[in-house]
Amino acid sequence: NQVWAPLQENASAYKAGHTLNANPISCAASNAVLRYLLDHDLVSRAREVGDYFLEQLRCRLQHDMVGDVRGLGLMLVVELVRDRATKEPFPPGWAVSRQVEEAAFERGLIVYPCGGSVDGQAGDMILMAPPLIITKEQVDEFVSILDGAIAAVAERQRPVR
C-alpha cells in the first residue's frame, strides 16, 4: 500500500515496463524469435524432447534424496528430500539445492537451485529449463552429469552410523 497509495492519490498512471520495452530493435528481435519458434515447430519439439527428458530423469535419478521429478515440456524440476517416503525436506540451512548446483557446475552443467518450496524456507529443488533446441543426446549428457552431481551431494548427506 505504501507504493500504490501515492499513485492512486495523485491519479498517476502506473507504468510497468522495462528498459527495452517498445524499443523497435527489441520488437524486431522478438518477432524474429517468434518466427523461428513457429517455423521450426519448437513447441511440439519441446513436448517431444521434454517427455524424453522427464523419462530419463525418472529412470536414472534413483537416489534416496530425489523425492519427485516432474515437469511440462522442457521446464522440469527435481525435488530433493531428506526422506523419500515422507517427503521430509532438508533443513534450510543445509542449502542442498545449492550444493547440487555447485556439484553440477563443477562437472560443466548449469542448473537452477530453488529453495523454500515447502513453507517459504524449507524445500529444495533443481529447476531445469534447457534451450528448446536441445537434442536427445544432449539430454542424455545432461542427465548423466546431474546424476553424478546428486550422487556426490547424497554421499555427503548420509547420516553417520
Side-chain angles (χ1 to χ4, degrees):
N1 285 341
Q2 282 182 313
V3 174
W4 188 249
L7 294 172
Q8 283 184 314
E9 291 167 8
N10 295 301
S12 297
Y14 177 72
K15 296 180 180 167
H18 301 279
T19 303
L20 301 177
N21 189 32
N23 176 308
I25 294 172
S26 300
C27 291
S30 297
N31 281 338
V33 167
L34 291 173
R35 176 60 37 219
Y36 189 91
L37 285 168
L38 293 171
D39 289 349
H40 295 89
D41 197 20
L42 292 185
V43 174
S44 294
R45 190 172 184 297
R47 185 180 312 110
E48 176 190 333
V49 177
D51 288 347
Y52 177 78
F53 202 160
L54 191 59
E55 178 184 329
Q56 294 306 304
L57 289 167
R58 286 180 173 157
C59 288
R60 296 191 51 200
L61 300 183
Q62 296 299 312
H63 307 279
D64 289 339
M65 69 186 296
V66 174
D68 190 24
V69 177
R70 57 189 178 273
L72 182 63
L74 285 170
M75 181 74 91
L76 304 157
V77 68
V78 173
E79 182 180 11
L80 306 169
V81 295
R82 190 172 189 180
D83 184 311
R84 189 177 205 162
T86 66
K87 305 291 191 225
E88 175 191 354
F90 287 101
W94 290 16
V96 173
S97 58
R98 298 292 265 166
Q99 291 181 49
V100 172
E101 174 203 26
E102 290 169 8
F105 188 77
E106 289 168 2
R107 291 162 172 77
L109 178 66
I110 297 173
V111 294
Y112 304 102
C114 299
S117 59
V118 172
D119 61 6
Q121 293 184 353
D124 287 280
M125 295 186 306
I126 295 299
L127 174 66
M128 296 153 287
L132 298 178
I133 58 172
I134 192 170
T135 65
K136 288 182 179 180
E137 293 78 18
Q138 290 167 328
V139 166
D140 292 341
E141 182 180 6
F142 189 119
V143 174
S144 180
I145 294 170
L146 182 60
D147 184 42
I150 292 174
V153 173
E155 185 65 32
R156 294 192 300 255
Q157 301 306 324
R158 286 193 178 159
V160 177
R161 296 179 196 251

